[in-house]
Amino acid sequence: MKDIGRKNRRDSEISADVPDFNFEYNDSDTLEAELAEWYTYSEEPEFVWNLNAFKNFLNKNYPNKKWKDLNQREKKSHILRLIDYTEIDHKQTRDDACRSILYLCQGTFAEVENMDEYYANLAENISLLYECDIFNVFLELFIFEINNINESVLADGKYAPSISDNVEMRVILSVLYSILEVVRLYESEVEAKRVNTSSSNYVQKFQYIKQQLRSELNKPILKVNQLLSSYLFQLINKFCNQNVVFLPIKKIILFLWKVLLLTLGGLDEAFKLKNEHRKLFNLSEITENPREIINQMTPATPPPNPVDIANEIQLNNPNSSYKRKKNLNDPNNSVNGLTKQTRGIDSDDLSITNGINNSSGKLTQFGISTGNLSNNSNEPNESENCELAESESDKNESQVNESESENAERAKRPSSPPPLPNEDQIKILEAANDAISIKINFNYHSKSLPWQPKVRINELENFLDQERKKFLGFGDLPNDQDTLIGLPNPIHESIRILKQHLYTSLSDEQIKLEEKFLKHPLSTKEVIENNCESPPEILFSSLLNNLPQYLICLLKILLTSIPQIRPKADSLQIMSDLFPEEISGSHYLTIKLGIDSNRHKEIIMKGISGILLLLLKHFKTNHVYQFEFTSQHLLFANCVPLILKIFNINISSFVQSKNNNHNLDFPNCVIGNQPEIDVEELENGDSTVFRWRNVFSCINLLRILNKLTKYKRSRIMMLVIFKSGPIFKKMLRIKQAMLQYYALKLLKMQTRHLGRQWRKTNMSTMSAIYQKVRHRLNDDWAFGNEQETQGWDFQSDECTIRNKIDKFIQRKYKSIEEPLYPDYVPMDNSFYGSIKKDIDIPDNFESNYEQWLEEEVFNNQIEWDMMINGKKSSILY
């Protein structure tokens, strides 16, 4: 496997500079990409097996006919016949029938010549299969395969799984996944014009199928009496903890992710659901859709390293005399003599207006001109710029002439026009323009901030308390935002502006309602009626007991899937649907297997990041304590350091990964004439600038970190302790707006704790935060002097959150078994309720039970007439 290691080393040598690329963030990739990533390159021979099995069954009933030659009635009757074959005892016949159905789910690729025909066959076949109830039939087959797992294989701890150990399970999962994915994405593919359809009936038909399938998946499966998503979580738990290593874990994770996407809904559905819940709490709707706003942003160009610029200039032009003269008296002088330049690019003198002439909007000289400032503030910069200009313009003269010209340049007045820059200086000007995010075409237009500022209620109250104590000597007026007597007029204006941008989150209202439930349990009612029937609520209630274990299993698999890191000996075996039984010694096959294994890991990371983000997003919309329960268990499972470990790899090479080949992807590998691929083409991979799944994974992991740490001081300090600042700064070199936005949000949280010196030397990053991240009017993130001295206690903060979560879960989900207020539980006086009650009988009564029956029951006569009339009698109770 030396070539696999060579491939990893080759990826790490990719340039750190990621060029601009057009990435559109969505819930998932296109239908073509999602179907291609479902199959590994090692499964390519099985496509022919599916074709042969289908031909054998078709020739038995329709000799010398193809699938496209049959009419609708014949196609449906053949599908029903195949369903009958899947229920027989003979294993080979049952497997061939499943493969025949899988061939239909793969678009009958042998009968098409281009992608348009393939998608037309795929849509027709999937609609027919769903009408014949194939999805539910294969769900039963899948549960049957899981229940018949070979126990002897489980007992062997040293068993090395291979692709032949889960053939039947992979075929069944492929049918289920194909139906689910085509139903979920067909409408969006037609709208994006990636799929051509001659009739709108298919679109309407798939809309109906999608709604029907969603309602089915939100109900428990009859065979196991639980949700499909919950059952798939159990399989992941079984894979990690019960040594069921031959489960196709990549396919199970992808299938679970798509089931959650269909049942819960994507990000747009979560945004609509959030506004619906805000209406019920009498809150204003949110008009700013984060995804739409971020898509309109342009990526900020990261500040280049001046040392790399100088080295590149000298490599391209060895005769260049671009050298910075060393000042031996300067204690900050570096070996390469570029210390002052580094400070010039990264210092706080860099802002969005530096270097721009007010009239023409151009950089006017080889330094950064600031014409709108006073002459006194410009003198040090001009002296430095003149020194650099002088050292470049006199490169062909002797040292004596050079020193004389230097004195002449220094004697010039500040208003003297600067010398014109040469080619080397133009390169440095371009680098400075990149550093401050200014386009070289000088078409600079001022724009407003992309987000409306927000103010939280507690921030307004804290501001009022502070100003009252400052001017009046007291400030303890809880829940009073209107008393402004004695405060000066500027404070009145400040409070008016704060109230204008006041924002009440849905989470705050949910917390208030929960506190009201604890104080008044009998009189408080739920604001959202029938919330127990919503998909997030159904999912959370089904996962509640085992959700911490499920999250740990997902993080274990994510740890094993980190690219560019060699797995440990005791790590999970995640290659069961990839490795053949015998690894060939062929150089080509070894390279192909190495690319496939790295691709396999990237797809697993994509699926897990999508699952975690979906859970956090929908649980937070449904109820904040469901979100806090999930996020806290992720925190306890070391999710934060794991994500930072992923980002600490060569993230540029990860984004530009070459672990893919378009000609080997399905369905390209089975449609039309296949070109021959040599080793060099296999190693070079696709010609794409970026890998969609890897950028998607990075953005998802950044969003997960943001959700885990937002407004949690102790968790933000975890990021500071783990030294995540340089890691997020490194990610800014990837020129993608959404990725940079979430990295900047994480940096903004930490700026007040990183110290004044860090903020001073990273002003380009601070400017990017100011431009792109939403402003909180009372948030002192850029200075935060008073925050640096405040103490923090991780355990006490988490314990406070945990206590609130436990009360919420006990009230809502465990009120029957363990009521929060036993005295308020209504008495059950019904006959059946009395029978169900367990009564403790004394031991002496049990030993003398027969004697009690003789004396009190059999020998005692009961006068029923007198008892009915209400008269006193010997009545037995």
Side-chain angles (χ1 to χ4, degrees), residues 825-856:
V825 176
M827 182 69 68
D828 186 5
N829 295 321
S830 64
F831 173 73
Y832 293 102
S834 301
I835 293 176
K836 291 179 181 179
K837 290 180 180 179
D838 295 331
I839 300 175
D840 295 332
I841 301 175
D843 295 338
N844 57 355
F845 180 81
E846 291 183 358
S847 59
N848 300 311
Y849 177 68
E850 295 180 356
Q851 182 180 356
W852 178 83
L853 283 176
E854 289 289 338
E855 295 177 357
E856 300 293 337

Side-chain angles (χ1 to χ4, degrees), residues 852 856-858 860 862 864 867 873-877:
W852 178 83
E856 300 293 337
V857 180
F858 302 138
N860 194 2
I862 301 174
W864 297 101
M867 184 182 67
S873 177
S874 57
I875 301 175
L876 177 64
Y877 289 95

Side-chain angles (χ1 to χ4, degrees), residues 628 631-641 705 708-722 790-803:
E628 293 293 351
S631 61
Q632 193 169 67
H633 283 288
L634 282 174
L635 191 74
F636 293 159
N638 291 328
C639 181
V640 173
L705 270 184
L708 293 181
T709 56
K710 188 176 181 180
Y711 298 133
K712 305 288 192 305
R713 177 177 170 80
S714 58
R715 299 180 188 179
I716 295 172
M717 291 304 298
M718 286 181 61
L719 297 178
V720 179
I721 292 173
F722 289 140
Q790 292 183 1
W792 60 280
D793 188 351
F794 176 81
Q795 292 184 351
S796 63
D797 293 345
E798 296 301 327
C799 285
T800 303
I801 298 174
R802 185 58 184 269
N803 291 335

Side-chain angles (χ1 to χ4, degrees), residues 516-528:
K516 191 176 179 182
F517 264 113
L518 296 177
K519 292 181 180 178
H520 311 287
L522 298 180
S523 60
T524 307
K525 295 182 180 181
E526 292 281 359
V527 174
I528 305 175

Side-chain angles (χ1 to χ4, degrees), residues 62-99:
Y62 306 101
N64 301 324
K65 278 191 176 182
K66 294 183 178 181
W67 179 255
K68 61 183 179 181
D69 298 333
L70 305 180
N71 56 35
Q72 291 293 100
R73 184 181 59 81
E74 292 173 338
K75 289 180 179 180
K76 188 172 292 187
S77 62
H78 184 68
I79 291 173
L80 294 175
R81 197 175 295 113
L82 290 176
I83 293 177
D84 294 335
Y85 282 124
T86 59
E87 298 176 354
I88 64 175
D89 294 334
H90 192 260
K91 184 177 183 300
Q92 186 61 41
T93 306
R94 186 173 69 248
D95 293 344
D96 289 342
C98 292
R99 285 194 175 278

